[in-house]
Amino acid sequence: METSLRYSKSLRIHAKEKLPFNSRTHLQLHGELDAGTGAPSYFCAMIRHLFPEALTGLGVGLYYDKRHKLRSHVRGKKEFPMGANKLVTFNVKGRCDFDQDFNQKNPIGAAEFSWNIMNFKEDQDVRIKVGYEMFNKVPYMQIRENNWTLNANMKGKWNLRFDL
């Protein structure tokens, strides 16, 4: 099980488990507990399928959170390597939530460049992402160093994650 501590407006404990069906398909379960209130903030069960020859992933699942209750969602990601070593990629990704009546809610779509720097320093890998979220019309960035991740966008939103 993967666990992490996440902070933006409050500290949350996040856990994720992947249960494989085969080499390309798995059931992903993940959820979050708000450390301030002690209440769960969300839970998600999703079937994810990878198409490695096309550098593509697709997921469908159910999502429960304290504000919107039960929703279903679909997500996908396509990766375009910018070189033979695949350390720099151009990614296109999207997600769409649906309420219980299958009305579309909260579409998200983004285009981003990702640069993986292996052995930035000894035993230290770094990933830098710069992208644009198309529905909210906001640029964003991510800097990840082994266990630490900082996400920020141009509207002033940010969060910090530490993988345990």
Side-chain angles (χ1 to χ4, degrees):
M1 180 173 295
E2 300 172 32
T3 56
S4 61
L5 300 175
R6 298 178 179 200
Y7 183 80
S8 56
K9 294 179 182 176
S10 66
L11 181 64
R12 298 172 320 277
I13 301 167
H14 182 268
K16 177 169 54 173
E17 183 68 36
K18 296 177 183 177
L19 306 168
F21 293 133
N22 58 46
S23 63
R24 295 182 179 191
T25 307
H26 65 269
L27 173 65
Q28 179 177 300
L29 304 170
H30 59 104
E32 217 171 60
L33 182 69
D34 188 317
T37 64
S41 46
Y42 80 85
F43 176 77
C44 178
M46 176 185 302
I47 296 193
R48 300 199 59 181
H49 185 78
L50 303 174
F51 301 91
E53 64 283 348
L55 301 173
T56 303
L58 178 66
V60 293
L62 295 174
Y63 179 91
Y64 176 83
D65 73 21
K66 61 185 177 185
R67 287 174 287 147
H68 300 112
K69 305 302 179 202
L70 186 64
R71 291 195 177 192
S72 57
H73 65 244
V74 177
R75 66 184 302 156
K77 180 179 177 182
K78 171 70 176 151
E79 188 174 285
F80 299 93
M82 303 301 286
N85 59 13
K86 298 182 184 176
L87 295 178
V88 177
T89 59
F90 176 71
N91 305 319
V92 177
K93 58 187 183 178
R95 186 183 85 203
C96 189
D97 297 346
F98 299 92
D99 65 15
Q100 294 174 348
D101 297 322
F102 291 101
N103 295 314
Q104 180 178 329
K105 304 286 182 185
N106 303 327
I108 294 173
E112 66 186 17
F113 285 98
S114 177
W115 179 25
N116 292 302
I117 306 167
M118 309 308 280
N119 292 316
F120 180 74
K121 290 188 176 179
E122 188 176 338
D123 296 325
Q124 182 185 38
D125 298 333
V126 172
R127 178 175 60 211
I128 300 170
K129 287 185 181 182
V130 176
Y132 185 77
E133 203 293 313
M134 292 174 257
F135 288 96
N136 292 323
K137 297 178 174 54
V138 61
Y140 66 89
M141 55 81 65
Q142 178 188 81
I143 300 172
R144 180 179 177 98
E145 178 276 333
N146 292 352
N147 294 354
W148 291 94
T149 305
L150 173 65
N151 296 296
N153 71 26
M154 294 299 285
K155 289 187 176 179
K157 290 187 177 181
W158 63 274
N159 65 58
L160 184 64
R161 179 172 72 202
F162 179 73
D163 296 326
L164 300 173

